[in-house]
């Protein structure tokens, strides 16, 4: 029986093939790096903490390396940062109230363009834009009236508590009632109440129609 060599590099290729054919395992080549330069996790370590880390020359050095550590610049979003303070909606609305005037002016300009243009495609685009802006302004007015009604109710409760009445917290049912009253008042002032009620009746009628018995054939 042929004795297996201690170093596979000293064994000729023909001898390796013959040993492999006969069932002998070929010893792996010894690593060039000493085992003492690796830690338990297989990572390179310093021989001395005051010496630089020696890396293997078999690995390519990256082209982009971080030589000097630079602190990452943090971008602050004033909407979500506590440093910007709390949002005062009343002050915000008062400060940017002039934007409502700009929107009204732009809406009038769009209506003037709609009257002058003769292109049907352009007309459809202008109609769509006008409808979107009107819907946005209507929704904003409705929300402002609801907020005004709730603020008025809270002010009345604070005055009552100051006069000696016990503390009262607005229930969800009462809050919903105030919102419906504000919505009804907005529809009445804008002249859309009759149209809204007709649409509501039609919707309720379609719901009731589902429970009616079907006609026999």
């Amino acid at each position: 029986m042929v004795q297996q060599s201690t170093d596979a590099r000293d064994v000729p290729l023909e001898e390796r093939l013959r040993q492999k054919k006969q069932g002998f395992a070929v010893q792996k080549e010894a690593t060039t790096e000493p085992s003492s330069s690796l830690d338990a996790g297989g990572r390179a370590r310093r021989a001395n903490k005051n010496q630089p880390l020696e890396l293997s020359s078999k690995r390519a050095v990256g082209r982009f390396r971080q030589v000097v550590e630079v602190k990452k610049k943090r971008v602050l979003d004033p909407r979500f940062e506590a440093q910007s303070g709390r949002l005062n909606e009343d002050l915000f609305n008062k400060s940017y109230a002039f934007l409502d005037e700009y929107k009204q002016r732009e809406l009038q300009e769009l209506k003037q363009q709609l009257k002058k243009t003769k292109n049907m495609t352009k007309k459809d685009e202008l109609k769509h834009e006008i409808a979107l802006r009107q819907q946005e302004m209507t929704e904003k007015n409705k929300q402002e009236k609801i907020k005004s009604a709730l603020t008025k109710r809270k002010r009345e409760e604070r005055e009552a508590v100051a006069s000696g009445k016990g503390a009262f917290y607005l229930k969800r049912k009462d809050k919903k009632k105030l919102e419906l009253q504000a919505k009804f008042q907005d529809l009445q002032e804008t002249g859309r109440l009759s149209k809204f009620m007709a649409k509501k009746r039609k919707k309720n009628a379609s719901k009731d129609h589902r429970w009616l018995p079907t006609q026999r054939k």
Side-chain angles (χ1 to χ4, degrees):
M1 183 180 296
V2 180
Q3 186 177 1
Q4 187 177 358
S5 176
T6 57
D7 195 347
R9 293 176 297 180
D10 299 335
V11 182
L13 179 60
E14 295 179 358
E15 185 67 18
R16 292 186 192 180
L17 294 175
R18 189 178 65 81
Q19 291 181 6
K20 185 176 181 181
K21 188 175 181 180
Q22 293 179 359
F24 292 99
V26 181
Q27 185 178 3
K28 295 183 180 180
E29 297 182 0
T31 56
T32 57
E33 296 182 359
S35 59
S36 60
S37 62
L38 302 177
D39 58 6
R43 295 169 296 185
R45 60 182 176 86
R46 294 183 178 92
N48 190 323
K49 65 178 182 179
N50 297 323
Q51 295 179 359
L53 179 65
E54 295 182 8
L55 299 178
S56 174
S57 60
K58 294 183 178 181
R59 296 184 180 180
V61 180
R63 180 174 297 180
F64 303 101
R65 290 182 296 170
Q66 187 174 359
V67 181
V68 180
E69 185 177 358
V70 181
K71 292 185 179 180
K72 186 177 180 181
K73 185 178 180 181
R74 184 187 174 193
V75 180
L76 300 179
D77 192 337
R79 297 174 299 173
F80 308 108
E81 294 294 334
Q83 301 173 0
S84 303
R86 299 182 63 180
L87 174 62
N88 189 343
E89 294 186 7
D90 295 333
L91 180 61
F92 179 84
N93 293 330
K94 290 178 181 178
S95 302
Y96 292 93
F98 63 92
L99 293 178
D100 295 335
E101 299 178 2
Y102 288 164
K103 290 180 180 180
Q104 286 284 357
R105 197 179 309 161
E106 290 176 353
L107 183 61
Q108 295 300 327
E109 291 177 358
L110 289 174
K111 290 181 178 180
Q112 292 295 331
Q113 292 179 15
L114 181 62
K115 292 180 180 179
K116 294 179 181 179
T117 185
K118 297 181 180 180
N119 190 347
M120 297 304 298
T121 305
K122 186 66 175 178
K123 274 190 174 182
D124 293 338
E125 293 177 358
L126 289 172
K127 286 180 181 179
H128 181 67
E129 183 67 22
I130 290 172
L132 287 178
R133 299 203 178 202
Q134 288 178 342
Q135 184 179 2
E136 179 184 356
M137 296 172 65
T138 303
E139 183 66 22
K140 184 179 179 181
N141 292 333
K142 184 181 73 174
Q143 294 298 330
E144 287 180 354
K145 289 185 178 180
I146 292 174
K147 185 179 178 181
S148 177
L150 293 174
T151 304
K152 181 180 178 182
R153 180 63 182 269
K154 290 180 181 179
R155 189 187 308 115
E156 292 175 355
E157 291 298 332
R158 284 197 299 267
E159 293 175 355
V161 171
S163 62
K165 184 181 176 182
F168 176 79
Y169 299 97
L170 192 64
K171 297 180 181 179
R172 185 178 299 177
K173 180 177 65 175
D174 298 333
K175 183 179 179 181
K176 186 69 175 178
K177 187 177 180 180
L178 286 175
E179 291 178 356
L180 290 175
Q181 290 177 356
K183 184 177 181 180
F184 180 83
Q185 184 180 359
D186 178 63
L187 291 172
Q188 193 173 18
E189 291 177 356
T190 55
R192 297 181 293 116
L193 181 60
S194 58
K195 184 178 180 180
F196 175 79
M197 295 303 295
K199 187 176 180 181
K200 193 74 174 177
R201 284 193 294 268
K202 184 177 180 181
K203 185 177 180 180
N204 292 335
S206 63
K207 287 183 179 180
D208 297 338
H209 183 71
R210 292 183 301 173
W211 303 105
L212 295 176
T214 56
Q215 186 178 3
R216 293 181 179 179
K217 296 182 180 179

